[in-house]
Amino acid sequence: PRSAMDHQPKFFENLSGTGKAIGVLTSGGDAQGMNAAVRAVVRMGIYVKAKVYFVYEGYQGMVDGGDNIVEVSWESVSSILQVGGTVIGSARCKSFRTREGRLQAAYNLVQRGITNLCVIGGDGSLTGANLFREEWSGLLEELAQKGKIDEEAVKKYAYLNIVGMVGSIDNDFCGTDMTIGTDSALHRIIEVVDAIMTTAQRVGIKAVFGCTFQVSQFSFFLSNCFSIIPVAALRASDCRGCISFRGRLLFLNMFSVFLRHTLLEKIQTHFESYKLVVQRLGFDTRVTILGHVQRGGTPSAFDRILASRMGVEAVLALLEATPATPACVVSLSGNQAVRLPLMECVQMTQEVQKAMDEGRFVEAVRLRGRSFENNLNTYKLLSHKKPDAELPKTNFNVAVLNVGAPAAGMNAAVRAAVRVGITEGHKMFAVIDGFEGFARGKIKEISWGDVGGWTGQGGSILGTKRTLPAKYLEKIADQMRTNNINALMVIGGFEAYLGLLELSAAREKYDEFCVPMVMVPATVSNNVPGSDFSIGADTALNTITDTCDRIKQSASGTKRRVFIIETMGGYCGYLANMGALAAGADAAYIFEEQFDIRELQKMGKHLSFSSCKDIQYLIVNLLTVSGRNCYRNENCNENYTTDFIYQLYSEEGKGVFDCRKNVLGHMQQGGAPSPFDRNFGTKISAKAMQWISKKLKETYRKGKVFANTDDSVCLLGMRRRNLVFQPVAELKNETDFVHRIPKEQWWLKLRPLMKILAKYKTSYDVSDSGQLEHVAMHSPKEAETGAI
């Protein structure tokens, strides 16, 4: 992150949309989260005083004109955040591919003064938009020649600005780590396959939509999974090799329906795959085709937040565009929204497809970028155990333990650590019940097969406690000496961070702690310094979002009702703020941003006179409040609790709205891990174990491991775009130990975005926006990112 001196704030208030008209359309195959993007574009556009138009049915509606292009209001996008698909429709349009069709589309836009287009779709839709932009001036001149518009209109609407957002469940667009809809599609897949895995004592072939990404990423989520994807060749020996893979209980093949090429055998469909498995192996086999289930359903919290961020960024890009600005696409790089030249991304995407069509699979993987390549390699590493004779032998013993409160995804992280460690040649040990169990000798060797099936299980199978190691140092040192532990991997939250600090400080007294130690952040609170994300936080956000969706349904017969939702997080308002953004809440009160009775009064007026008078759409308003403890400090009155706010609004809202409250509690820690948490836990843990292997080799001297420097005790975290190892000693300066939060938290920059979309006047720092980058910076990637 840039230093404070380099940071020169740029606020979006200086960007005005007065006199501008923005058209928003969705095109191509629909994807969950498109409505969230549409909502963000509409509300941000109106917020900056621009006119915003729906273009119904994609390019077909643009060509047909009439009622297909309609100016919209703030309320037009109420209550669509949780709706799957696209409320403005999407259609293939042959006529737009012709110049005559584009001429008619240009006429329809000029009639309404629309010279800014936000296109949400795949590479084909975005390519069409770019062609439209390139032809725009010529189309206007032709319209003038035909007498349909005058010369003044040609000058007034001289250029067209295009900004794209990629909406696709396939995630096959180069230049972005994630496309809108991918995470939701993965949710649908794991829901189905988690259910199938508990019942199918046979081989299961699962046919999924999309591209290589869907298949390879999904393989992360399952323990008993063998994948065949377009960029990897299938051999008959691959099928035979799975016989020894967790006995013969379960063998899942994930197939892309677009699979075309293999080196030794050409298997074009899942039905031919079925025949191959039955004929070659003689297994009892079943085929399940997931089909359009993957496109349907409610968008995940990740997709809602991603689409909202991209929609706001798209409007900013349109406001800043000049005639010289090329068409751009808003992308996600790690945890940062970036703008890339649209055609650079399209060209790279087409090169990948061409390489696949020609059977150049290695080249296709390289073109997809370093992140994709690393994901694929990690999947292969974790899915197939080499024979013992082929594994290296290092004679190093590595222990893995969970510390702090349970978080969904912890088990996926343990599985990845164990299997990568075994592949690296280490002997792996599992510690039961954290540091307390360590002191009591609850440690045992763990094998490859022992962690089978762990990825999809919530909680902590190893057990976890909040106990810190300080009072057990001597006993833990004895256990490390007895079991000859040469390295530690700690998976957990703030207690894990404090525990590593204590073990590091004890090195002067105990040589046993002079070994490589690494922490992988895992907590629903997302309050660990040094990392933008923690394992488990995404699952908790989905629980909050799902609950809010159900509350909206429960109040569908009640007008003007306010719900107060209390979330977890302690002093960290991450869940409250991001949950509010994903659920479309009117406000989120958090520790990081002080509030008093005046703020509550202002909110009451907002509920009374703004949102609640929209009976048709805003039937229910959500007020998301972070945990009660967050108000008990020297700057906040301890009486501002959930009960106090509930009682205040119940009294003040009489005759206007009624009030209800809901405390989610430990629901947020439970449940099966989300795709993001399964994947993030797997990737970050695998990378941490590879770091341990490297450090062990560097610090091994004369038959002993001795690591006593700060850089041998690290936390692996996601920072903006990259996964970064940071010495825990250096993170102390970034930590507010009293409130157990980082001193600076990236998500606070998104807080104004939540307020804007809820129709509040606020200030929004857009200093990180505005610079058009190039695809070469992202593909191939120089560093592994944290995105799915």
Side-chain angles (χ1 to χ4, degrees), residues 660-727:
R660 297 289 186 273
K661 67 177 179 178
N662 192 304
V663 179
L664 300 184
H666 285 75
M667 283 179 59
Q668 297 158 84
Q669 284 186 327
S674 68
F676 183 97
D677 281 331
R678 298 186 194 200
N679 188 22
F680 186 56
T682 298
K683 283 171 45 174
I684 197 171
S685 184
K687 193 174 183 70
M689 183 54 65
Q690 290 167 341
W691 176 88
I692 282 179
S693 296
K694 179 182 176 183
K695 285 294 178 184
L696 285 171
K697 294 175 183 177
E698 291 175 354
T699 57
Y700 185 72
R701 298 289 185 276
K702 298 180 180 179
K704 184 180 179 181
V705 173
F706 189 79
N708 64 345
T709 57
D710 286 347
D711 66 354
S712 62
V713 185
C714 285
L715 180 146
L716 176 57
M718 170 71 168
R719 300 300 289 264
R720 289 168 69 91
R721 301 190 186 186
N722 302 319
L723 290 175
V724 183
F725 290 96
Q726 305 144 99

Side-chain angles (χ1 to χ4, degrees), residues 430-609:
V431 179
I432 312 300
D433 293 339
F435 288 119
E436 185 176 326
F438 208 161
R440 294 178 179 176
K442 298 170 73 173
I443 180 171
K444 63 179 182 179
E445 186 176 354
I446 188 167
S447 68
W448 182 282
D450 290 337
V451 293
W454 282 31
T455 308
Q457 297 192 41
S460 168
I461 296 175
L462 291 184
T464 180
K465 291 184 180 295
R466 298 177 182 269
T467 311
L468 296 177
K471 62 180 180 179
Y472 298 115
L473 289 175
E474 186 171 345
K475 291 182 178 179
I476 293 175
D478 287 341
Q479 289 298 326
M480 292 190 68
R481 184 169 54 253
T482 300
N483 293 280
N484 190 29
I485 301 300
N486 305 118
L488 280 181
M489 178 184 287
V490 183
I491 302 167
F494 205 86
E495 290 85 0
Y497 168 61
L498 295 176
L500 278 194
L501 286 174
E502 291 180 358
L503 293 181
S504 180
R507 283 177 160 184
E508 294 183 3
K509 186 175 181 180
Y510 300 99
D511 285 346
E512 288 80 4
F513 299 137
C514 293
V515 297
M517 292 185 276
V518 66
M519 175 187 166
V520 172
T523 168
V524 300
S525 300
N526 200 38
N527 63 333
V528 176
S531 186
D532 291 353
F533 295 117
S534 295
I535 300 166
D538 184 75
T539 303
L541 275 179
N542 278 285
T543 299
I544 295 169
T545 305
D546 291 344
T547 303
C548 289
D549 288 349
R550 295 186 184 202
I551 286 174
K552 283 184 179 181
Q553 284 185 341
S554 76
S556 59
T558 307
K559 299 173 183 178
R560 302 182 180 181
R561 174 168 288 178
V562 175
F563 278 91
I564 299 172
I565 312 286
E566 181 183 304
T567 67
M568 276 182 163
Y571 286 94
C572 181
Y574 176 82
L575 289 181
N577 189 75
M578 303 305 279
L581 182 58
D586 286 281
Y589 293 138
I590 60 175
F591 164 74
E592 291 87 348
E593 188 173 284
Q594 298 175 25
F595 67 93
D596 54 23
I597 193 68
R598 286 168 295 186
E599 286 295 318
L600 297 178
Q601 289 174 330
K602 187 189 300 182
M603 179 64 194
K605 291 180 180 179
H606 177 78
L607 294 173
S608 300
F609 301 111

